[in-house]
Amino acid sequence: MSESLLNIQNLTKGFPIRGGILGREVARVQAVRGVDISIDRGEVLGLVGESGCGKSTLGMLILRLIDPDAGKIIFDGQDITTMPQSKLRPIRKSMQVVFQDPYASLNPRMSVGDIIGEPLLVHKVTSSKERRDRVMDLLKLVGLNEKAYGRYPHEFSGGQRQRVGIARAIILTPKLVIADEPVSALDVSIRGEILNLLEDLKDRFSLTYLFISHDLKVVEHISDRIAVMYLGQIMEMFPASELCEARHPYTQALVSAIPVPDPDAKRERIVLKGDVPSPIDPPSGCSFHPRCPYAKDVCKSQEPQLDKYGDGFFAACHFIDEMKAHSVGSELASK
Ligand code: SF4
């Protein structure tokens, strides 16, 4: 059995913008552009980037909720890129999703017991008695009272609803869970509880996560490795425990925005100029060049490839060696 559970190669997806009386395609939003990533079994890969950078689209592509324009998706040793939906059905049991908005993702007319047990029903996994027993077990595991079984989503807080969403995602004991901003809509006070729950369940059921978030601190907490996405491309990948050693200028800007708990510790905030460019017409060369404080002429014309620059470190930057001097790690070392 291969170590890698998910391997995606050169994955690309654009969405047409149509105009005119005939509804012809007049432009294309380039949401995901040539993404290569792999996730090992039992690993948590954090995917971080600003809103609209293509993170959620990448998640939907992996789940085959939308079809890619190009590239490959290898899941659990099988190429599922163009697999027909009828053949995908049994594989879908092994890939589940936790959504950002726990209320919108739960059917308000269904009881919690029915919501959590629905995947078992859809995939005809158990009898109704077994289904009820498994839902009851899971309710306890995710920290909900058994009485929740017959109640409805509106009777619960945001954190409790997200526990229901998580229970629904893991009831089929999937191999891969795509958690798409699972704590962003929750109060800060309960984010930690949900993250701890996700970690506990991962250990208990040997799950693998693609954890998508715009919050680098949250991603650092839960991930083994982090991939940083910008305008539909992966800019850098590195071990989460070595966040301070990440060198790409965009990653450095994200790191500099993380609040430092020690009031005496001063870290210079890197404020990026301008807005994120439009994904309809991404900049030439390095797509980060209009906002990069270190951009040179070559950055405007030549696109950097995602190359290895250290053990477990990959970045798309022409000047990654020079960037070492600007990383938070070297900033701390010089103090
Ligand atoms: Fe900045 Fe150039 Fe590196 Fe892009 S390639 S991140 S523009 S220095």
Side-chain angles (χ1 to χ4, degrees), residues 248-262:
H248 193 285
Y250 179 55
T251 313
Q252 286 178 30
L254 296 179
V255 173
S256 80
I258 297 176
V260 183
D262 178 357

Side-chain angles (χ1 to χ4, degrees), residues 35-103:
V35 167
D36 294 305
I37 52 173
S38 74
I39 311 179
D40 287 344
R41 293 171 198 279
E43 187 183 35
V44 181
L45 178 71
L47 183 63
V48 70
E50 291 161 285
S51 297
C53 73
K55 313 179 292 288
S56 295
T57 304
L58 186 60
M60 288 195 282
L61 287 168
I62 293 168
L63 291 162
R64 283 286 320 276
L65 297 176
I66 50 176
D67 290 330
D69 297 335
K72 255 189 186 177
I73 308 166
I74 313 287
F75 175 71
D76 204 15
Q78 294 190 74
D79 185 344
I80 62 164
T81 322
T82 54
M83 192 177 269
Q85 294 294 332
S86 55
K87 275 184 113 183
L88 261 182
R89 201 178 157 85
I91 295 172
R92 285 203 187 283
K93 275 197 288 187
S94 303
M95 303 167 99
Q96 295 291 320
V97 61
V98 176
F99 294 100
Q100 173 179 2
D101 184 342
Y103 194 62

Side-chain angles (χ1 to χ4, degrees), residues 142-161:
V142 299
L144 290 172
N145 193 300
E146 287 183 4
K147 288 183 189 151
Y149 189 95
R151 294 191 174 154
Y152 288 82
H154 71 270
E155 299 177 62
F156 295 90
S157 67
Q160 288 170 326
R161 285 197 286 257

Side-chain angles (χ1 to χ4, degrees), residues 102-251:
Y103 194 62
S105 66
L106 305 178
N107 186 338
R109 291 195 198 91
M110 286 172 75
S111 70
V112 161
D114 286 344
I115 289 171
I116 298 175
E118 191 182 27
L120 293 173
L121 193 64
V122 170
H123 290 278
K124 302 183 178 68
V125 178
T126 53
S127 67
S128 59
K129 159 88 175 70
E130 281 174 288
R131 197 161 61 240
R132 186 183 169 85
D133 291 348
R134 277 180 66 176
V135 171
M136 285 297 191
D137 288 347
L138 260 186
L139 281 173
K140 269 187 262 165
L141 263 183
V142 299
L144 290 172
N145 193 300
E146 287 183 4
K147 288 183 189 151
Y149 189 95
R151 294 191 174 154
Y152 288 82
H154 71 270
E155 299 177 62
F156 295 90
S157 67
Q160 288 170 326
R161 285 197 286 257
Q162 194 56 297
R163 288 174 193 272
V164 173
I166 291 169
R168 177 180 58 183
I170 63 162
I171 196 158
L172 292 167
T173 49
K175 292 177 180 165
L176 175 70
V177 175
I178 296 186
D180 189 357
E181 301 269 13
V183 296
S184 307
L186 305 178
D187 288 345
V188 175
S189 57
I190 47 171
R191 283 182 193 172
E193 289 176 21
I194 297 295
L195 288 175
N196 290 340
L197 172 64
L198 286 167
E199 285 183 317
D200 290 348
L201 294 171
K202 175 191 170 295
D203 293 341
R204 181 182 282 263
F205 296 109
S206 306
L207 303 172
T208 302
Y209 289 149
L210 174 63
F211 189 96
I212 298 172
S213 176
H214 66 279
D215 187 333
L216 186 54
K217 193 70 201 152
V218 167
V219 165
E220 182 196 16
H221 174 85
I222 197 165
S223 307
D224 298 306
R225 280 188 307 135
I226 296 175
V228 178
M229 200 166 179
Y230 183 80
L231 269 183
Q233 295 177 312
I234 302 295
M235 290 284 140
E236 188 163 28
M237 274 199 283
F238 50 89
S241 58
E242 297 185 61
L243 174 63
C244 290
E245 302 302 325
R247 293 187 198 170
H248 193 285
Y250 179 55
T251 313

